[in-house]
Amino acid sequence: QVQLVESGGGSAQDGGSLRLSCAASGHTYNSKCMAWFRQAPGKKREGVASIYTGGDNTFYADSVKGRFTISRDNAANTVFLQMNNLKPEDTAMYYCAASMPSLAGCFHIRDVYYAYWGQGTQVTVSS
């Protein structure tokens, strides 16, 4: 089992920044990828960014490329999402996820490849 706890959500102005953290515990060694997803009211959950746990490879949705950066601290078993130049359309509940023992989830940030989920942290961006 893997436990994930997100923190760092909150409110920001259009153009502002927030940094999300995801603390992982448990049997994390089986997860090849860690990712951030988001879900806005009335919309499907969307993969935002992923990172390969065995290296520095990162992947991003087109909607956040150049604005968001995913990173990890292996020693602290923590994954981060630095969000810059936030827009109102970034408003959503953000979820941290740990993948199944497969690399597919790194390349294709889809929830079908992810086995463990945090409770989510709300991000609200106002114009």
Side-chain angles (χ1 to χ4, degrees), residues 28-83:
T28 59
Y29 48 83
N30 280 334
S31 294
K32 297 294 186 186
C33 318
M34 297 291 294
W36 288 94
F37 288 76
R38 66 185 181 187
Q39 187 168 21
K43 293 191 175 181
K44 290 184 179 179
R45 187 158 55 188
E46 171 192 22
V48 173
S50 68
I51 186 165
Y52 172 48
T53 57
D56 296 325
N57 305 77
T58 56
F59 304 86
Y60 297 92
D62 288 343
S63 57
V64 306
K65 269 181 191 172
R67 301 189 298 121
F68 290 11
T69 302
I70 188 171
S71 61
R72 58 183 171 80
D73 181 342
N74 280 350
N77 234 3
T78 302
V79 176
F80 304 97
L81 186 68
Q82 177 67 44
M83 304 185 294

Side-chain angles (χ1 to χ4, degrees), residues 8 13 15 30 36 45 51 53 62 66-67 88 90-91 94-95 99 109 117 123:
Q13 294 288 322
N30 280 334
W36 288 94
R45 187 158 55 188
I51 186 165
T53 57
D62 288 343
R67 301 189 298 121
D90 295 319
T91 295
Y94 282 71
Y95 299 91
S99 77
I109 317 171
W117 297 84
V123 170

Side-chain angles (χ1 to χ4, degrees), residues 98-122:
S99 77
M100 301 175 188
S102 164
L103 290 174
C106 290
F107 303 106
H108 311 289
I109 317 171
R110 293 169 54 195
D111 51 12
V112 65
Y113 295 117
Y114 287 81
Y116 304 100
W117 297 84
Q119 294 298 307
T121 185
Q122 178 67 37

